[in-house]
Amino acid sequence: MEDQQAGETWVIVAAAGESQRMGLPDGESKQFLLLGGETILSHSVHRLLAMSCVDGIVVVLHPSHTVRFANELMLFDDAKPVLIAEGGRTRPDSVRAGLVMVPDSAAVIAVHDGARPLFSKRVFESCVTALDGADGAVPAVEVSDTLKRQGEGGAVAGTVDRAGLWAAQTPQVFRAAALRDVYARTDLNGATDDAMLLERGGYSVRLVPSTPANVKITTPQDIPLAGALLSWEVETDV
């Protein structure tokens, strides 16, 4: 297996969602809500740029938000390239749009949800290292809650065995050739993350233990939680 460090590492930041569960006015996006004085999206991008192993970023946005982020980007003080792509109708469509802009020099491509501004840098590096023995690596947390399956009318239809179950997060890290291959030939329908596409394509994906602090901001209730985590966060934990 070739050394994944032989080429560049690029990150596609998926930030083209319509934020329907946030209850925002039409045209607004959770990516631009403020967290600790900075937009959620800027937090994610700044944290990625601060990592020595990251060589460049492609941010995929809803077409109506590209100019808005370009204005934010002018305030960034970093020599690494940050490119902007217009997203598609679905998440896989948006990642594909970002993939087109990643240079051929990339040996590793990560895909990250822009709404996860508190991902662990240490876990990201562990995911890159995990590619020594796999085609993809996914940060994840072992499920600790009891899981119930909902039936008709909200009734409990059963309890799900949680043994061996993990909740997947991002950034998910892949060998560039494998990610490009599955986007070229694999059915994208119903895919909720990119690791799922590698699984469909017959590639190996490894789980990397992560932290519950890597929250995805989805509902209004997630904002104060993320703010508290941001205040509490210490460098040795990220």
Side-chain angles (χ1 to χ4, degrees):
M1 183 176 291
E2 66 176 305
D3 181 3
Q4 84 273 3
Q5 300 294 343
E8 296 181 347
T9 296
W10 278 66
V11 184
I12 298 170
V13 178
E18 296 182 357
S19 308
Q20 294 178 346
R21 282 175 285 182
M22 288 297 294
L24 298 173
D26 289 345
E28 286 298 318
S29 170
K30 64 185 177 186
Q31 315 287 353
F32 296 101
L33 295 176
L34 291 179
L35 179 66
E38 189 175 7
T39 67
I40 292 169
L41 180 56
S42 287
H43 271 292
S44 295
V45 174
H46 273 133
R47 186 169 293 215
L48 288 166
L49 289 172
M51 300 190 63
S52 60
C53 65
V54 172
D55 296 288
I57 299 173
V58 179
V59 181
V60 187
L61 295 158
H62 189 279
S64 64
H65 295 146
T66 55
V67 173
R68 184 173 183 177
F69 181 67
N71 291 333
E72 283 192 15
L73 195 56
M74 294 176 65
L75 303 177
F76 281 38
D77 182 20
D78 199 285
K80 296 179 183 178
V82 180
L83 311 180
I84 297 175
E86 291 188 358
R89 185 178 59 85
T90 66
R91 187 182 188 280
D93 289 337
S94 294
V95 174
R96 194 206 302 272
L99 199 55
V100 170
M101 299 188 69
V102 175
D104 293 338
S105 56
V108 173
I109 301 175
V111 182
H112 182 52
D113 295 322
R116 287 189 189 270
L118 300 173
F119 72 90
S120 165
K121 291 179 281 187
R122 174 182 51 79
V123 173
F124 182 97
E125 291 168 350
S126 295
C127 286
V128 174
T129 301
L131 295 185
D132 283 336
D135 301 299
V138 177
V141 175
E142 196 167 8
V143 173
S144 59
D145 294 325
T146 298
L147 300 177
K148 302 291 184 180
R149 180 177 290 109
Q150 180 181 331
E152 186 175 352
V156 173
T159 299
V160 179
D161 183 3
R162 70 188 180 202
L165 295 183
W166 291 67
Q169 304 174 343
T170 68
Q172 298 182 355
V173 182
F174 309 100
R175 289 183 174 272
L179 187 64
R180 292 188 190 277
D181 178 51
V182 295
Y183 266 92
R185 67 174 178 87
T186 305
D187 179 14
L188 305 182
N189 291 330
T192 53
D193 71 357
D194 297 279
M196 186 175 178
L197 296 178
L198 263 75
E199 294 161 29
R200 288 179 180 176
Y203 287 100
S204 61
V205 180
R206 179 172 295 176
L207 292 172
V208 175
S210 184
T211 166
N214 184 14
V215 295
K216 184 178 182 181
I217 298 176
T218 305
T219 67
Q221 291 75 21
D222 296 327
I223 296 289
L225 172 61
L229 288 169
L230 183 65
S231 298
W232 167 83
E233 186 181 79
V234 291
E235 188 67 20
T236 54
D237 190 45
V238 299

